[in-house]
Amino acid sequence: MSTTSSTLELARLVREGRQYWASQSGQAIRHAERACLGPVCESVFGAHSLELGMGASMADMCPVRHPMRWAPTRELADTASMLVCQPDALPLLDESLSLVVIHHLLEVVPHPHHVLQEAARVTAAEGRLIIFGWAPLGPGGLSRALPSRRRRLPWRGHWRTPGRLGDWLAFVDFEIERVDYCGFHLPGSLPSNAMLETLGRRHNLPLSDSYMIHARRKSQLVRPQGASLPFARPLGTSSLGGAASVGQARSEHELERMTEGD
């Protein structure tokens, strides 16, 4: 697929995603997810953050001085702080962001492992990488049994478990610190029942609509001076931040082979 056609497809996807997240169902899920993200934001400080998603800002409550959001085209950039680019080629320096949020994007983009690689590349060593995904065992996952629904958001794409994404994160030298489940409700209803949400989050049951992964960069052992360092080629195609970290030296081909069939 050419760059132009890929950008147009992403633009169509984002427009569809914005319609869903503006709907009653999307707003209810977003509210539950923001309640999960809020306590994380209280401990995140720094100069820069980035959100990769299709809806309104999730992390606007975080005390980060320069928050950015992403859009695939200038037409869809509704604020001056929008980063217009391909999500798998971020024009940012390595380890330059205190917080990166991927909000339900890995399920639907053509090359999700490339997007994850770029998000990991720009996350600072002391920063946080937050991933929101759809929970396959929740009410939404069960409703995907209807083939007609899989052509529409949010049921479209590949829904992966936190364990599967943990395997992907290991290849970019990140590890999962915690998984929080959010968006609890009975089948056929919206996640607006405060009692169900409180009980579900208290016991952290994997029976919700979505989950939130907290990930951090693994600690790197200090190598003796003069040791050979196996640098990899850049993970993204951006003009900034070309050097990859030592921990990301595994080949892209190996990760692609691992993600085949997802």
Side-chain angles (χ1 to χ4, degrees), residues 4 17 40 60 62 64 85 96 108-109 118 130 134 157 171 178 194-195 220 225:
T4 301
V40 177
D60 52 2
C62 294
V64 176
C85 62
S96 57
V108 291
V109 291
E118 276 293 88
I130 303 295
W134 297 112
F171 271 84
R178 178 180 171 86
M195 184 179 70
Q220 297 295 326
Q225 189 173 1

Side-chain angles (χ1 to χ4, degrees), residues 18-45:
R18 288 183 178 182
Q19 289 179 354
Y20 168 72
W21 290 109
S23 70
Q24 184 181 11
S25 175
Q27 287 289 317
I29 294 291
R30 180 176 177 273
H31 178 77
E33 291 177 337
R34 277 172 59 86
C36 283
L37 182 61
V40 177
C41 283
E42 292 175 0
S43 61
V44 175
F45 298 91

Side-chain angles (χ1 to χ4, degrees), residues 158-179:
H158 298 277
W159 289 19
R160 303 173 180 90
T161 64
R164 185 58 169 162
L165 289 181
D167 293 338
W168 289 21
L169 285 164
F171 271 84
V172 290
D173 288 300
F174 271 67
E175 58 188 353
I176 294 178
E177 281 193 331
R178 178 180 171 86
V179 178

Side-chain angles (χ1 to χ4, degrees), residues 104-117:
H104 296 291
L105 198 63
L106 297 181
E107 292 94 341
V108 291
V109 291
H111 303 291
H113 46 289
H114 293 172
V115 175
L116 183 61
Q117 282 181 312

Side-chain angles (χ1 to χ4, degrees), residues 62-117:
C62 294
V64 176
R65 295 191 297 275
H66 181 213
M68 295 178 288
R69 291 170 54 217
W70 163 81
T73 64
R74 293 188 181 277
E75 178 189 2
L76 292 171
D78 50 19
T79 68
S81 63
M82 297 288 274
L83 188 68
V84 179
C85 62
Q86 292 286 312
D88 56 0
L90 302 175
L92 299 170
L93 293 171
D94 292 358
E95 300 188 29
S96 57
L97 305 180
S98 302
L99 173 67
V100 177
V101 178
I102 305 177
H103 186 251
H104 296 291
L105 198 63
L106 297 181
E107 292 94 341
V108 291
V109 291
H111 303 291
H113 46 289
H114 293 172
V115 175
L116 183 61
Q117 282 181 312

